[in-house]
Amino acid sequence: MVKHWRVDREEKYEIVEKWFLKDLEMIDGKEADTDNPYFDMHFHKVYNMEAYSCASKYTFARTLSQLNAMYLKKDLKIVNFDETYLNDDSIWSSSNRDFLVVMRVCFYAFNLLCLSLCRLS
C-alpha cells in the first residue's frame, strides 16, 4: 500500500504496508455493474482500497490473477468484477479500456438499431 501526498510541486510516495501474494485470499470488486474504483483485499484481515480509476482497478486485478497463475497456481477468488474485462483473451481486452467501453456501447446500439429496422412478418 502506498501513501501519496504533495509538497509544493513535488509528489511524494511512501510504502506504508506490504503483503505477499500467497497470503491474498480474495479480491472483492464490491459492485461489478457500477463504475467505481473501490475494492477489498482479503488477507488475514480485510483492507478497503481505492484505485486511481475503475480501469486501474481492473488492471490491478488482472495483474494479480496473472501473477498468481504464473507463480503460485492457487485458487485466487476474484469476485464482483465483470468477467469480460478480467480476461485478456476477451474481444474487449486492450490497453486502452475507455475506448473499448465506448466501442462496446456502440456495438450494442448498432445491434439494437439493426433489430429495430427488421420487418416482422
Side-chain angles (χ1 to χ4, degrees), residues 1-16:
M1 183 173 1
V2 177
K3 181 179 178 183
H4 170 255
W5 70 95
R6 290 180 191 226
V7 177
D8 295 327
R9 293 186 176 179
E10 258 185 80
E11 296 201 27
K12 303 273 186 177
Y13 298 92
E14 178 186 347
I15 297 174
V16 178

Short mmCIF file of all heavy atoms in Angstrom, two decimals, residues 1-16:
data_model
loop_
_atom_site.label_atom_id
_atom_site.label_comp_id
_atom_site.label_asym_id
_atom_site.label_seq_id
_atom_site.Cartn_x
_atom_site.Cartn_y
_atom_site.Cartn_z
N MET A 1 0.86 -1.16 0.00
CA MET A 1 0.00 0.00 0.00
C MET A 1 0.91 1.22 0.00
O MET A 1 1.88 1.29 0.75
CB MET A 1 -0.92 0.00 1.22
CG MET A 1 -1.87 1.15 1.20
SD MET A 1 -3.17 1.21 2.48
CE MET A 1 -2.94 -0.16 3.50
N VAL A 2 0.58 2.18 -0.84
CA VAL A 2 1.41 3.37 -0.99
C VAL A 2 0.62 4.59 -0.57
O VAL A 2 -0.53 4.76 -0.96
CB VAL A 2 1.87 3.52 -2.46
CG1 VAL A 2 2.67 4.79 -2.65
CG2 VAL A 2 2.69 2.32 -2.90
N LYS A 3 1.25 5.43 0.21
CA LYS A 3 0.64 6.71 0.62
C LYS A 3 1.18 7.78 -0.32
O LYS A 3 2.38 7.83 -0.61
CB LYS A 3 1.04 7.01 2.07
CG LYS A 3 0.46 8.28 2.61
CD LYS A 3 0.90 8.46 4.06
CE LYS A 3 0.40 9.75 4.63
NZ LYS A 3 0.89 9.94 5.99
N HIS A 4 0.30 8.63 -0.82
CA HIS A 4 0.67 9.66 -1.78
C HIS A 4 0.29 11.03 -1.23
O HIS A 4 -0.79 11.21 -0.70
CB HIS A 4 -0.07 9.41 -3.11
CG HIS A 4 0.06 10.53 -4.08
ND1 HIS A 4 -0.96 11.40 -4.33
CD2 HIS A 4 1.08 10.92 -4.86
CE1 HIS A 4 -0.58 12.28 -5.22
NE2 HIS A 4 0.66 12.02 -5.56
N TRP A 5 1.19 12.00 -1.35
CA TRP A 5 0.88 13.36 -0.97
C TRP A 5 1.76 14.31 -1.76
O TRP A 5 2.74 13.92 -2.37
CB TRP A 5 1.01 13.57 0.54
CG TRP A 5 2.41 13.54 1.07
CD1 TRP A 5 3.22 14.61 1.29
CD2 TRP A 5 3.17 12.39 1.45
NE1 TRP A 5 4.43 14.19 1.78
CE2 TRP A 5 4.42 12.83 1.88
CE3 TRP A 5 2.91 11.03 1.46
CZ2 TRP A 5 5.41 11.97 2.31
CZ3 TRP A 5 3.90 10.18 1.89
CH2 TRP A 5 5.12 10.64 2.32
N ARG A 6 1.38 15.59 -1.74
CA ARG A 6 2.13 16.62 -2.46
C ARG A 6 2.75 17.58 -1.47
O ARG A 6 2.12 18.00 -0.50
CB ARG A 6 1.22 17.41 -3.39
CG ARG A 6 0.74 16.64 -4.55
CD ARG A 6 -0.14 17.52 -5.41
NE ARG A 6 -0.80 16.68 -6.38
CZ ARG A 6 -0.90 16.97 -7.65
NH1 ARG A 6 -0.41 18.09 -8.11
NH2 ARG A 6 -1.51 16.16 -8.47
N VAL A 7 3.97 17.96 -1.77
CA VAL A 7 4.67 19.00 -1.02
C VAL A 7 5.08 20.03 -2.06
O VAL A 7 5.94 19.78 -2.89
CB VAL A 7 5.90 18.46 -0.27
CG1 VAL A 7 6.63 19.58 0.44
CG2 VAL A 7 5.51 17.35 0.68
N ASP A 8 4.43 21.20 -2.01
CA ASP A 8 4.59 22.23 -3.05
C ASP A 8 4.26 21.61 -4.40
O ASP A 8 3.15 21.21 -4.64
CB ASP A 8 6.00 22.85 -3.01
CG ASP A 8 6.24 23.61 -1.71
OD1 ASP A 8 5.28 24.19 -1.18
OD2 ASP A 8 7.39 23.60 -1.22
N ARG A 9 5.26 21.53 -5.28
CA ARG A 9 5.02 20.94 -6.61
C ARG A 9 5.57 19.52 -6.72
O ARG A 9 5.47 18.90 -7.75
CB ARG A 9 5.66 21.80 -7.68
CG ARG A 9 4.99 23.14 -7.80
CD ARG A 9 5.53 23.90 -8.95
NE ARG A 9 4.80 25.14 -9.09
CZ ARG A 9 5.04 26.05 -9.99
NH1 ARG A 9 6.01 25.85 -10.84
NH2 ARG A 9 4.34 27.15 -10.04
N GLU A 10 6.12 19.04 -5.65
CA GLU A 10 6.68 17.70 -5.64
C GLU A 10 5.65 16.68 -5.16
O GLU A 10 4.91 16.95 -4.23
CB GLU A 10 7.88 17.63 -4.68
CG GLU A 10 9.21 17.67 -5.37
CD GLU A 10 10.32 17.48 -4.35
OE1 GLU A 10 10.58 16.33 -3.96
OE2 GLU A 10 10.89 18.50 -3.94
N GLU A 11 5.65 15.54 -5.79
CA GLU A 11 4.79 14.46 -5.35
C GLU A 11 5.64 13.46 -4.59
O GLU A 11 6.71 13.08 -5.03
CB GLU A 11 4.11 13.80 -6.54
CG GLU A 11 3.19 14.77 -7.26
CD GLU A 11 2.16 14.06 -8.09
OE1 GLU A 11 1.80 12.93 -7.76
OE2 GLU A 11 1.72 14.67 -9.07
N LYS A 12 5.13 13.03 -3.45
CA LYS A 12 5.86 12.09 -2.59
C LYS A 12 5.06 10.80 -2.47
O LYS A 12 3.84 10.80 -2.43
CB LYS A 12 6.05 12.68 -1.18
CG LYS A 12 6.77 14.00 -1.15
CD LYS A 12 8.24 13.77 -1.11
CE LYS A 12 8.92 15.12 -0.93
NZ LYS A 12 10.33 15.00 -0.81
N TYR A 13 5.79 9.70 -2.40
CA TYR A 13 5.19 8.38 -2.22
C TYR A 13 5.92 7.66 -1.10
O TYR A 13 7.14 7.75 -1.01
CB TYR A 13 5.30 7.55 -3.51
CG TYR A 13 4.58 8.15 -4.68
CD1 TYR A 13 5.23 9.01 -5.56
CD2 TYR A 13 3.24 7.86 -4.91
CE1 TYR A 13 4.56 9.57 -6.64
CE2 TYR A 13 2.57 8.41 -5.98
CZ TYR A 13 3.24 9.26 -6.84
OH TYR A 13 2.58 9.80 -7.91
N GLU A 14 5.16 6.98 -0.28
CA GLU A 14 5.75 6.22 0.81
C GLU A 14 5.07 4.86 0.89
O GLU A 14 3.84 4.77 0.88
CB GLU A 14 5.56 6.97 2.13
CG GLU A 14 6.09 6.24 3.33
CD GLU A 14 5.75 6.94 4.64
OE1 GLU A 14 5.31 8.10 4.61
OE2 GLU A 14 5.90 6.29 5.68
N ILE A 15 5.87 3.81 0.94
CA ILE A 15 5.31 2.46 1.10
C ILE A 15 4.88 2.32 2.55
O ILE A 15 5.69 2.42 3.47
CB ILE A 15 6.34 1.39 0.72
CG1 ILE A 15 6.70 1.51 -0.76
CG2 ILE A 15 5.78 0.00 1.03
CD1 ILE A 15 7.80 0.58 -1.21
N VAL A 16 3.59 2.09 2.73
CA VAL A 16 3.01 2.01 4.07
C VAL A 16 2.94 0.56 4.54
O VAL A 16 3.23 0.26 5.69
CB VAL A 16 1.61 2.65 4.09
CG1 VAL A 16 0.97 2.52 5.46
CG2 VAL A 16 1.68 4.10 3.66
#
